[in-house]
Every structure is written in C-alpha cells, then in structure tokens.
C-alpha cells in the first residue's frame, strides 16, 4: 500500500521564522545588529530554495537505502510517498512526519545561519546526524527485512 | 514590505533650535556670560540659511543611518507649501515583521536626531564648549535609532496549520 506524508510549506517557513526570531532576540542583548538573523516571509525565495535542497538531501540519503521512496514539491505541500506491503506499521506515520519536519527545519536553519552568521551554525550541524538517523531508523521499521547497520557493540554481544 | 513616508518640515526644527538657543543664551547671560557672547549663541530668523544648511546635512545623515537597516530609504527635499520653507521627505520600506507601535517612535526619533545634530553644528560654530554636550545627545539619539530599527515582532502563522497524513 502507498503511504503519503504531506508537509505544509507554510508550516516549515513559520517554524524557521519563529526559531530565528527567538535566536535573534537573545543575540541582540549582546550585539544590537542581530536583526539580520531574523527571517520573515520576505526571504521567501531563499527559503524555497533551501527547502527543496534540504528535502532533496534527506530523501536522497534515505532513498539510497530504501529505494521505494518518492517526493514532490507542490505549491502548498511537500509530498513524500513510499510503498509498503501491509498496514502493520502505519501507526508510525505521524512520528515519521515529525521526524522529517525536525530534520528539515534544522537543515534550513543551519543553511540560513551559514549565510548570515556562520559562527552560530555549530549546534545545528551537530544535531544533523542524530536527526537524520531518527528518520532513517523510522523508515527501517516499515521495511522490516532491510538490514540496518548495527553498532559494533551489538554485534559483538551476540 | 510596506512603504512609509515621513515628512519633516525644516520650519519645525528651525523653531525648535531657535527656542532652545534662546533660552540657553538667556541662562548663560544670567550666569555671568558677557551679553555679546550670549547673543552670539542665539539663533534667529536672520540665520535661516545657515540653519537650513545644518538641518539638511543632519537629515542626510539620518537617512544614511536608516538606510543601513532598511535598505531602501530615500530622502528628497521638497518645497513645503504651508511654511514657505523646504521639507525633507523620507520614503522607507519597512520590513514585514516590524512592530506597528514602533513606527511612530521611529518618526519622532528621527526628528529628534535631526534636531540634535543640527543644533550641534550650530553650536560648533558659535560656542564650541556647548557643542560637546550636544555631541552626547546626538550619540544617545543614534543609539536609540539603532535599537528602534532592529526591532522585530514575533512571526504569526498565516493560516491554521493542518496536519494531514493520508494513506492511499
């Protein structure tokens, strides 16, 4: 059966703007010029590009392992589709959606900060790997038979 | 981005300068300054061209400060029909997240900055000691302008977010 995840693009934009707003407000206490960190719908063109880059990066990385995944970017929604054999794990769909949103928002924020103030992008860069592995592990649940790389401690403990 | 237009009439600022220097001159004379020097300090109608020059320079400086933050800010000089003098016309593009309450504060801070700067120029010519005090005022006005220009309000979601998970 075909599973679809729809993410509203406005929601991504709004989450990014909100994060940048709070970050900018606290940065302004030290240096008043931190308003350059705060984004809004004015920079919509830039964020459209960053959104599609982030999504492509995510889906490509996941698709290398699970090749049944597909995505399309529409006017209002981002659509991610993949096929599974049965309904067993369909309760994981909301979790998967949230994990994808977390990854995308983190990635978009990181790219935005690399443009505006690279020194502040470090926390986002360190979160990238763990957020990506969340998405990948959740996907792996849908395809039970696919081999997921186990940690060496796990293997050694057999 | 919406465009905001501000008009600052030279006459208003000139009157403010004349008033300020008049009272300052009187106070200095009462404190013991020779009458000639105190009168030199006071601006009046005869010094109109000089004051106009100072105000224009101050307005251009204000425009430069604003343009640092709001990238599209133009300042043009037009003739003010009411007072017969000239007026400065600022047209600036206000960013999307700028709080509406801050716009009025911005207008009065720009006026304040122009007044203080022009006053400082005038005093630098006529009584340099006084101009040091005005320099501090100008610095304070600049800082206030910087802080006002970087204010932003919290972004609000345009429409209610709808979370849809569809299984086909």
């Amino acid at each position: 059966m075909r599973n679809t995840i729809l993410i509203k693009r406005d929601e991504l934009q709004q989450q990014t703007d909100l994060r940048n707003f709070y970050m900018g407000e606290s940065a302004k206490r030290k240096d008043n010029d931190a308003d350059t960190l705060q984004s809004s719908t004015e920079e919509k063109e830039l964020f459209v590009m960053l959104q599609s880059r982030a999504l492509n990066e995510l889906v490509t990385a996941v698709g290398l392992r699970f090749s049944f995944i597909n995505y399309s970017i529409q006017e209002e929604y981002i659509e991610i589709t993949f096929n599974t054999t049965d309904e067993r794990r369909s309760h994981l769909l909301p979790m998967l959606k949230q994990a994808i949103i977390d990854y995308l928002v983190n990635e978009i924020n990181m790219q935005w900060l690399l443009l505006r103030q690279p020194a502040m992008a470090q926390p986002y860069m360190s979160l990238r790997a763990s957020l990506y592995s969340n998405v990948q592990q959740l996907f792996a649940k849908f395809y039970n038979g696919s081999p997921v790389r186990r940690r060496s401690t796990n293997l050694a403990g057999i | 981005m919406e465009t905001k237009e501000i008009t600052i009439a030279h006459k208003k600022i000139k009157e403010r300068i004349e008033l300020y220097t008049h009272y300052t001159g009187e106070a200095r004379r009462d404190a013991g300054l020779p009458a000639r020097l105190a009168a030199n300090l006071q601006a009046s109608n005869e010094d109109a061209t000089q004051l106009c020059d100072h105000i224009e320079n101050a307005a251009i400086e204000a425009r430069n400060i604003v343009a640092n933050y709001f990238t599209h800010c133009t300042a043009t000089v037009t003739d003010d029909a009411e007072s017969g003098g000239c007026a400065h016309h600022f047209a600036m593009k206000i960013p999307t997240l700028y709080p509406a309450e801050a716009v009025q504060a911005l207008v009065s801070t720009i006026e304040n900055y122009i007044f203080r700067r022009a006053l400082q120029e005038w005093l630098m010519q006529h009584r340099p000691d006084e101009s040091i005090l005005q320099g501090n005022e100008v610095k304070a006005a600049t800082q206030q302008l910087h802080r006002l220009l970087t204010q932003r309000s919290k972004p609000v979601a345009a429409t209610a977010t709808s979370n849809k998970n569809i299984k086909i």
Side-chain angles (χ1 to χ4, degrees):
Chain A
M1 50 165 287
R2 193 154 165 247
N3 299 311
T4 311
I5 294 177
L6 292 175
I7 300 175
K8 219 171 183 214
R9 289 172 77 185
D10 282 343
E11 189 182 336
L12 280 182
Q13 175 80 35
Q14 212 267 337
Q15 281 206 21
T16 318
D17 287 347
L18 201 63
R19 279 196 187 193
N20 288 331
F21 170 75
Y22 281 116
M23 186 170 38
E25 288 294 299
S26 69
K28 273 187 215 169
R29 302 290 171 109
K30 280 193 194 159
D31 169 21
N32 196 39
D33 287 335
D35 69 316
T36 50
L37 293 178
Q38 296 177 323
S39 62
S40 69
T41 43
E42 269 164 36
E43 283 97 14
K44 199 163 185 185
E45 274 180 355
L46 178 64
F47 279 106
V48 161
M49 181 186 86
L50 293 180
Q51 274 172 15
S52 55
R53 268 175 71 183
L55 184 65
N56 195 45
E57 192 170 339
L58 176 66
V59 177
T60 310
V62 175
L64 288 174
R65 195 181 283 277
F66 311 105
S67 42
F68 319 111
I69 180 172
N70 207 358
Y71 83 91
S72 79
I73 301 184
Q74 291 144 24
E75 181 88 28
E76 219 186 312
Y77 286 100
I78 292 174
E79 188 180 343
I80 302 173
T81 53
F82 57 102
N83 292 327
T84 50
T85 44
D86 52 23
E87 278 199 30
R88 238 184 332 150
R89 306 278 196 195
S90 54
H91 63 281
L92 290 176
L93 273 178
M95 287 169 65
L96 180 58
K97 171 171 171 164
Q98 189 56 43
I100 292 178
I101 290 180
D102 285 341
Y103 178 86
L104 289 178
V105 171
N106 188 54
E107 178 76 18
I108 293 169
N109 254 334
M110 185 187 85
Q111 297 290 345
W112 165 257
L113 280 176
L114 284 174
L115 283 176
R116 292 288 170 132
Q117 195 136 348
M120 291 183 78
Q122 188 51 44
Y124 295 90
M125 282 153 83
S126 26
L127 270 177
R128 244 179 127 203
S130 91
L131 290 174
Y132 170 69
S133 83
N134 280 348
V135 176
Q136 184 206 296
Q137 302 278 3
L138 276 172
F139 258 115
K141 293 289 184 196
F142 285 91
Y143 302 104
N144 238 358
S146 309
V148 175
R149 184 177 295 135
R150 291 181 164 274
R151 290 190 172 171
S152 57
T153 48
N154 231 335
L155 288 169
I158 288 177
Chain B
M1 272 200 204
E2 30 166 276
T3 314
K4 171 87 183 163
E5 310 226 330
I6 304 175
T7 310
I8 296 177
H10 279 200
K11 182 169 181 231
K12 191 172 166 190
I13 307 223
K14 239 190 290 179
E15 281 172 1
R16 229 173 132 181
I17 295 180
E18 285 171 14
L19 200 68
Y20 185 94
T21 50
H22 174 80
Y23 281 118
T24 312
E26 298 287 313
R28 298 290 175 269
R29 193 204 335 258
D30 291 342
L33 194 69
R36 189 174 48 83
L37 292 176
N40 204 16
L41 172 58
Q42 291 169 335
S44 66
N45 258 334
E46 300 158 355
D47 309 304
T49 36
Q50 232 184 35
L51 285 177
C52 212
D53 195 37
H54 293 322
I55 294 174
E56 206 165 303
N57 284 337
I60 292 177
E61 282 187 25
R63 181 249 153 218
N64 284 341
I65 295 178
V66 175
N68 247 340
Y69 293 86
F70 299 170
T71 41
H72 306 277
C73 179
T74 57
T76 48
V77 185
T78 54
D79 283 326
D80 193 0
E82 310 172 341
S83 57
C86 31
H88 253 98
H89 217 71
F90 288 85
M92 58 187 76
K93 284 209 179 142
I94 303 210
T96 318
L97 286 181
Y98 201 69
E101 317 87 57
V103 176
Q104 187 47 46
L106 185 63
V107 176
S108 36
T109 310
I110 292 179
E111 277 183 10
N112 209 28
Y113 176 86
I114 296 178
F115 161 62
R116 288 287 172 190
R117 187 78 184 93
L119 182 61
Q120 186 193 19
E121 287 287 325
W122 167 264
L123 287 172
M124 267 203 283
Q125 283 184 325
H126 294 260
R127 189 142 186 84
D129 303 330
E130 307 273 345
S131 76
I132 300 172
L133 301 170
Q134 293 310 315
N136 292 337
E137 295 286 335
V138 169
K139 249 185 238 160
T142 315
Q143 254 186 359
Q144 210 180 351
L145 205 53
H146 280 174
R147 261 195 222 111
L148 265 179
L149 287 167
T150 58
Q151 272 191 348
R152 300 284 182 269
S153 60
K154 202 169 83 160
V156 185
T159 50
T161 55
S162 66
N163 292 323
K164 278 202 255 179
N165 297 324
I166 308 176
K167 291 179 287 188
I168 302 173

